[in-house]
Amino acid sequence: MAKTTSPWHRLSEAEAAVNRAVAASRVGRYFKLDARKSSFTGELRAGAATFLTMAYIISVNAAILTDSGGPCTARDCTPVGNSTAAPGPECTVVGANPGYEQCLARTKSDLIVATAVAAMAGSFAMGVLANLPLALAPGMGANAYFAYNMVGFHGSGPIPYRTALAVVMLEGIVFFALSAVGLRSKLARMIPRNIRLASAVGIGLFLAFTGLQAHQGVGLVGASPSTLVTLTACSEVDPATGACLGGTMRSPTFWLGAVGFLITATCLARDVKGGMIYGILFVTVVSWFRGTSVTVFPDTPAGDAAFAYFRKVVDFHMIRSTAGQLGFGGFRHGHAWLALVTLLYVDVLDTTGTMYSMAEYGGFTDGSGAGGFEGEYRAFLVDAGSTVLSAGLGSTTVTTYIESTAGIREGGRTGLTAVTVAACFLASLFFGPLLMSVPPWAVGPSLVLVGAMMMRVAKEIEWGDMKEAVPAFVTMALMPLSFSIANGIIAGLGVYVALHCPDWARHVFGKASAVLDDRRNQVAAAAAAEAEAEPPQDVV
């Protein structure tokens, strides 16, 4: 009697056959599937897991960068009412002008595509060239610095959008050059360790503070004339001052965002794969229903236009306004050079540190104790080159994502994992109408939770040594309180140098004294030897 097999068993046998065939093929040998004890289907699952955990960046990055206003200016505003006069700069206030809002919507569509393309290209290159299961995308922290410190909310900062993109591109070129000549890892080790750790914590606090505000997040905190910031969650706000109208903690969108926060936090606490995206999905889907107090499609002309685009579901959008918007003429001002140094600093620390951490986690290090790993040189060139591409598309610096641990945990060991992530980002390019309709109160909770995850390194700071603790505290405190990553870095390094100057001076003085003492001893010894060598004089 023939033995029957279940469909699951036959499926398992088919999967094993596919894995053996791919491993024996040219593709399998190139990606070293057998050598790294991996399989083709395992790499596909690992890539899907990584994409699920970082897919939030498509909408989050676009939302943050759109807050800068992008290429939109007062010239995009349209006359309101019966007026025929050209609107002034005040037309860029949120919700104040339909023409400006339409320009922002076009910019956000462009940035969704730019984010997906940069992530797709970077991840694909990382997989094919470096053969590592590491996914790349525009980084959190650098995007907030670009939007709120460099360009400023709706262009209110010191650097125009075109110049800011040129700064990002030049930083990418410098970063590529440093990687090519091998200086990148050496520079990372020159920064004091506690300042490096404090920078990560401070950027996390900066992101959390951003996610708690209105327009960029859930709207829990807002402006106060007496205490600077206060609890808000207002149902209505004054568009000019941001003050609450009608009481606090009455915003329906805040409470919906709070539910999304709890969903995501619960998923992360229980180690659910793709947990970061489930809260965003829940809040977004609820906000898609029209006629509710939390809808992202209000009964206004702008809301009607957004809903009409949303109903397309599938639509391939071509970048029209953000690509190639580079202006190198603004480098005459010091703000541009300060921004370049700040971005380079963050890249050297964050991207390089994350890549070393992922290599250690995945077991790719060479075991020499120096922290090197297989494919290191090519990996450094890939993420630096991806930043240049990202700037050309209108987005910010690209970094290796710590969410790559999800794929490594699923068994990803080769570049096929990163190639799978790239394929997923490619598929996302066709769902622009859905990604465009993710509201800020769905994105805000993820910013807060990303900030929470960045707090873990605070325990490694040497809090018992005040010469190390004080600069670290200044670094992490000033980033959110001055709403500037650059201010925190500069202040922290300044305090560190000031506190360590006496020790350095004492060390230099000690070294100089030792050298002088050695020199004196050498002279004395030479004189004594010369005296002993002279023949005695005859006494008459």
Side-chain angles (χ1 to χ4, degrees):
M1 183 176 179
K3 183 179 179 180
T4 59
T5 57
S6 67
W8 290 112
H9 182 71
R10 290 195 296 270
L11 184 62
S12 178
E13 288 182 338
E15 179 182 352
V18 169
N19 286 333
R20 287 193 298 270
V22 174
S25 68
R26 182 179 298 179
V27 172
R29 292 193 298 272
Y30 178 83
F31 286 105
K32 302 180 181 179
L33 287 173
D34 284 341
R36 297 188 182 179
K37 299 179 181 179
S38 186
S39 65
F40 176 67
T41 55
E43 295 290 317
L44 296 182
R45 286 192 295 269
T50 298
F51 176 76
L52 280 176
T53 59
M54 63 181 293
Y56 69 91
I57 191 59
I58 300 174
S59 56
V60 172
N61 187 61
I64 290 175
L65 295 183
T66 301
D67 279 342
S68 71
C72 302
T73 65
R75 292 191 296 272
D76 295 291
C77 296
T78 54
V80 179
N82 297 323
S83 174
T84 58
E90 68 278 359
C91 71
T92 60
V93 176
V94 175
N97 189 278
Y100 189 75
E101 291 299 307
Q102 291 173 9
C103 181
L104 290 180
R106 292 192 300 270
T107 298
K108 187 175 182 181
S109 295
D110 286 353
L111 290 171
I112 284 175
V113 175
T115 302
V117 170
M120 176 189 69
S123 299
F124 182 81
M126 181 64 75
V128 172
L129 299 179
N131 196 20
L132 291 170
L134 306 180
L136 278 67
M140 296 294 292
N143 55 5
Y145 176 68
F146 179 95
Y148 306 123
N149 295 151
M150 293 172 64
V151 183
F153 184 72
H154 286 188
S156 59
I159 305 175
Y161 178 74
R162 288 167 54 86
T163 301
L165 286 180
V167 169
V168 174
M169 177 169 281
L170 183 58
E171 185 271 340
I173 294 171
V174 173
F175 200 36
F176 186 90
L178 291 175
S179 302
V181 299
L183 288 177
R184 176 172 168 174
S185 57
K186 294 179 181 178
L187 282 176
R189 296 187 186 102
M190 287 175 60
I191 306 297
R193 180 173 182 270
N194 289 288
I195 296 294
R196 295 201 304 265
L197 297 172
S199 296
V201 175
I203 291 172
L205 293 171
F206 183 91
L207 291 174
F209 186 46
T210 300
L212 292 173
Q213 297 181 60
H215 309 313
Q216 300 93 21
V218 295
L220 179 60
V221 298
S224 167
S226 55
T227 60
L228 298 182
V229 293
T230 187
L231 202 67
T232 53
C234 320
S235 56
E236 294 183 54
V237 297
D238 186 327
T241 64
C244 263
L245 301 177
T248 61
M249 304 303 292
R250 297 185 180 182
S251 168
T253 56
F254 162 73
W255 291 110
L256 178 59
V259 173
F261 174 86
L262 292 176
I263 291 173
T264 303
T266 301
C267 290
L268 293 175
R270 295 181 179 275
D271 203 24
V272 176
K273 296 179 182 64
M276 185 65 77
I277 203 171
Y278 294 136
I280 297 177
L281 282 176
F282 172 79
V283 175
T284 299
V285 171
V286 172
S287 301
W288 283 345
F289 291 96
R290 301 200 77 178
T292 68
S293 58
V294 296
T295 183
V296 74
F297 306 117
D299 293 322
T300 62
D304 293 339
F307 186 67
Y309 180 63
F310 164 75
R311 292 178 64 180
K312 291 182 178 181
V313 180
V314 177
D315 181 53
F316 184 80
H317 177 81
M318 295 292 291
I319 299 179
R320 295 185 178 90
S321 60
T322 62
Q325 295 290 322
L326 304 170
F328 290 92
F331 280 85
R332 297 186 302 271
H333 306 291
H335 294 294
W337 293 106
L338 174 61
L340 188 148
V341 172
T342 301
L343 288 174
L344 186 61
Y345 171 90
V346 172
D347 255 352
V348 167
L349 298 186
D350 182 35
T351 306
T352 308
T354 300
M355 197 171 291
Y356 279 132
S357 299
M358 294 300 96
E360 183 72 32
Y361 182 83
F364 305 121
T365 51
D366 54 20
S368 65
F373 57 91
E374 184 179 354
E376 175 183 343
Y377 183 74
R378 291 186 178 185
F380 283 170
L381 294 181
V382 165
D383 69 0
S386 299
T387 291
V388 178
L389 171 65
S390 181
L393 295 172
S395 188
T396 49
T397 55
V398 172
T399 183
T400 301
Y401 263 61
I402 197 169
E403 284 82 356
S404 300
T405 53
I408 296 174
R409 194 166 56 238
E410 280 292 307
R413 290 294 180 272
T414 77
L416 277 175
T417 296
V419 172
T420 303
V421 174
C424 292
F425 275 113
L426 173 63
S428 72
L429 290 173
F430 297 92
F431 295 96
L434 300 182
L435 296 172
M436 266 289 293
S437 304
V438 178
W441 52 90
V443 172
S446 67
L447 296 181
V448 176
L449 289 168
V450 168
M453 290 188 290
M454 296 179 76
M455 295 298 104
R456 68 184 69 179
V457 298
K459 65 182 180 180
E460 300 178 30
I461 296 174
E462 299 174 55
W463 295 110
D465 184 351
M466 295 309 292
K467 285 188 292 187
E468 300 290 336
V470 171
F473 176 77
V474 169
T475 300
M476 65 177 66
L478 280 185
M479 285 187 184
L481 295 181
S482 68
F483 211 66
S484 170
I485 294 172
N487 289 347
I489 293 171
I490 293 170
L493 286 174
V495 173
Y496 184 90
V497 170
L499 293 181
H500 284 79
C501 260
D503 294 336
W504 294 339
R506 193 180 305 113
H507 178 74
V508 170
F509 180 77
K511 285 282 189 182
S513 297
V515 171
L516 290 175
D517 289 342
D518 288 344
R519 183 58 180 166
R520 283 195 294 267
N521 291 337
Q522 291 173 6
V523 171
E530 184 178 347
E532 292 177 0
E534 290 181 359
Q537 300 290 329
D538 294 335
V539 178
V540 179

